[in-house]
Amino acid sequence: MKKGKLLNSEISYVISKMGHTDSLTIGDCGLPIPDGVQRIDLAVIKGIPKFIPVLQAILEEQLVEKVILAEEIKENNSELNKEIIEILKQEERKSDRLINVEYIPHEYLKQETAKSKAVIRTGEYKPYANIILVSGVTFN
């Protein structure tokens, strides 16, 4: 049995195949998933699973050098934005690596998901609960 915390085999498989600058998207239940991008649907009912625990589990497995968030999260879901930033700061302290945070308009974020190796759909039911995680490298 797998020793790590992340139990979802599809997510583990996607992360294991990722290289430097490849991306993985975590989205709320309303984020459109482009044709041709692998969909990993975790949504069970409205609100389950929540966005933050999924993000935290993935950050246990994936080394991230950059994240992309919708500019609109700052005004329309500021509490979630603050929570994400705090989690990223914790990751920086654990790994002794900086994580660049980029904000772009939500429409562009939706377009950027087409470049992701996969989009993980959560049951989150709050606006702009979407993030693109860009992989770093484990050697430096």
Side-chain angles (χ1 to χ4, degrees):
M1 182 172 205
K2 186 174 175 350
K3 184 178 177 183
K5 291 182 180 182
L6 187 60
L7 298 177
N8 185 287
S9 61
E10 288 181 82
I11 298 171
S12 290
Y13 181 69
V14 168
I15 292 171
S16 74
K17 295 188 326 180
M18 292 178 74
H20 188 216
T21 73
D22 285 342
S23 64
L24 177 65
T25 298
I26 305 169
D28 57 32
C29 60
L31 182 69
I33 300 172
D35 291 338
V37 177
Q38 181 180 352
R39 171 194 207 99
I40 302 173
D41 198 338
L42 304 180
V44 178
I45 61 171
K46 185 180 357 179
I48 298 177
K50 294 202 170 291
F51 174 87
I52 289 296
V54 174
L55 173 61
Q56 290 172 317
I58 290 168
L59 289 174
E60 290 285 328
E61 298 282 325
Q62 182 186 3
L63 184 94
V64 173
E65 71 178 17
K66 175 181 166 182
V67 302
I68 303 170
L69 296 163
E71 182 72 35
E72 293 87 343
I73 194 173
K74 292 178 187 177
E75 187 173 320
N76 297 299
N77 200 345
S78 61
E79 287 301 313
L80 181 62
N81 184 55
K82 289 176 191 170
E83 196 170 356
I84 291 168
I85 297 303
E86 183 55 39
I87 289 167
L88 295 175
K89 286 179 183 176
Q90 291 171 11
E91 282 301 308
E92 287 178 336
R93 287 191 291 273
K94 284 195 290 189
S95 67
D96 200 30
R97 296 171 186 254
L98 293 178
I99 299 173
N100 182 34
V101 178
E102 180 180 346
Y103 291 92
I104 61 175
H106 185 61
E107 283 304 312
Y108 293 146
L109 184 134
K110 290 190 290 186
Q111 292 171 16
E112 286 295 309
T113 63
K115 299 176 187 174
S116 289
K117 296 295 181 184
V119 176
I120 300 165
R121 182 174 176 255
T122 68
E124 189 63 64
Y125 206 72
K126 294 178 182 170
Y128 306 104
N130 307 296
I131 191 168
I132 298 174
L133 306 171
V134 180
S135 286
V137 290
T138 56
F139 53 89
N140 272 357

